Amino acid sequence: MPRKKSAKKRTRSSKKDFTSFEVQGFEEVRKNLTATSDNMARIIAQTDYEIGEAVIARAHIRAAGVGGVAPKSARSLRMERVRGRARVMYGGTAYPYAMGGEFGSYRYHQFKPFRRDGYFLFKARRDVETGDILMIYRAALARAIRNAFPEDN
């Protein structure tokens, strides 16, 4: 007897398949500036997106240096806006090896040995948080001041 197809539509992937993180920093400054101006909220959101792009660029460079599955895993890196916040996302059903490429594995030998702090993405995140994040926020604030006071330029 032939099987009936179910009426329920199968989805290709769900958000559970993805891993993400937020770049932490300047949380108090962000809250204070957001409270002062609606335009500042947009500037901060755009700056968060720029910081995420800097993390992705740095992660691609680090992944190329690691070799193995890491450069292939780095192709899954992308920026998404989640509830108004920019997030770096990676992995998913098309990249089942992304976590192994980032963290390694003791069990599966196609990956490097397990490393809790990661090989490319989380190291790139720390690089940006400790160095580039101040420059990116300064440039964004300078652009905001130039736009707010164009006659002083």
Side-chain angles (χ1 to χ4, degrees):
M1 182 173 219
R3 235 176 172 188
K4 287 186 176 180
K5 290 187 177 182
S6 67
K8 186 177 179 182
K9 185 179 178 183
R10 292 183 64 181
T11 58
R12 191 160 184 166
S13 69
S14 67
K15 287 294 182 186
K16 291 186 287 187
D17 296 332
F18 298 104
T19 303
S20 69
F21 66 86
E22 292 181 39
V23 176
Q24 298 296 320
F26 300 108
E27 203 58 42
E28 290 179 29
V29 173
R30 173 196 316 264
K31 287 177 185 173
N32 291 338
L33 290 175
T34 305
T36 59
S37 168
D38 291 335
N39 191 29
M40 191 57 74
R42 283 192 295 273
I43 292 168
I44 290 173
Q46 178 60 33
T47 306
D48 286 346
Y49 203 84
E50 290 173 17
I51 290 169
E53 289 174 341
V55 169
I56 288 174
R58 184 76 55 99
H60 279 285
I61 293 167
R62 281 189 164 275
V66 169
V69 183
K72 226 164 117 175
S73 300
R75 282 188 248 154
S76 71
L77 292 168
R78 65 201 171 280
M79 288 298 302
E80 288 188 7
R81 292 198 188 275
V82 179
R83 290 185 292 266
R85 302 284 301 267
R87 284 201 172 160
V88 175
M89 305 285 278
Y90 75 105
T93 56
Y95 300 93
Y97 44 81
M99 296 298 279
E102 169 62 13
F103 295 106
S105 172
Y106 290 130
R107 184 174 183 184
Y108 301 104
H109 298 292
Q110 74 262 35
F111 303 119
K112 300 245 184 222
F114 177 75
R115 184 185 284 176
R116 183 177 301 276
D117 60 346
Y119 278 96
F120 60 93
L121 179 59
F122 285 86
K123 288 190 177 280
R125 173 186 159 199
R126 279 189 291 282
D127 290 347
V128 170
E129 282 181 342
T130 57
D132 297 344
I133 197 167
L134 286 173
M135 289 187 335
I136 293 170
Y137 267 108
R138 283 182 189 144
L141 288 173
R143 277 194 312 268
I145 291 169
R146 273 196 310 272
N147 292 339
F149 306 104
E151 66 277 351
D152 293 340
N153 291 333

